[in-house]
Amino acid sequence: MSISPKRLEELKNIPEDAIDTSDIPELDANFWSKAKLVEPITKTAISIRVDSDVLDWFKSQGKGYQSLMNAVLRSYVEHQKD
């Protein structure tokens, strides 16, 4: 999901007291005692050979086809761990 620069500027200009945070609970000591640091998984650029029809199918899924390929591979890896 992307936000246009115009919308970002609008959001930046909303006064602090105009933002309703009543539905957001305060984070107390209990929350922080259970919190865990989650490091993002880094991605590595590689060169890989795949069948043309497989690549064409993923590309036909639209923008983000490489992320989709990664998700399919991740799913396979996770199922192999069990």
Side-chain angles (χ1 to χ4, degrees):
M1 179 176 163
S2 62
I3 301 175
S4 72
K6 180 181 176 188
R7 181 64 179 141
L8 280 175
E9 194 60 35
E10 291 171 354
L11 292 171
K12 280 184 3 184
N13 291 324
I14 296 174
E16 194 78 22
D17 60 351
I19 301 172
D20 178 13
T21 59
S22 62
D23 61 338
I24 304 172
E26 291 291 326
L27 301 180
D28 58 12
N30 183 46
F31 170 85
W32 292 109
S33 69
K34 296 177 184 177
K36 292 189 301 183
L37 177 62
V38 178
E39 297 283 338
I41 298 172
T42 59
K43 298 207 185 287
T44 304
I46 63 166
S47 175
I48 185 172
R49 291 166 115 23
V50 295
D51 296 336
S52 296
D53 60 327
V54 171
L55 181 59
D56 290 343
W57 185 86
F58 276 99
K59 283 185 170 183
S60 76
Q61 302 307 298
K63 185 177 178 184
Y65 74 92
Q66 291 175 325
S67 295
L68 178 59
M69 292 174 81
N70 188 71
V72 169
L73 289 169
R74 174 167 298 288
S75 177
Y76 178 82
V77 169
E78 294 300 323
H79 282 83
Q80 294 302 309
K81 288 180 182 179
D82 293 336

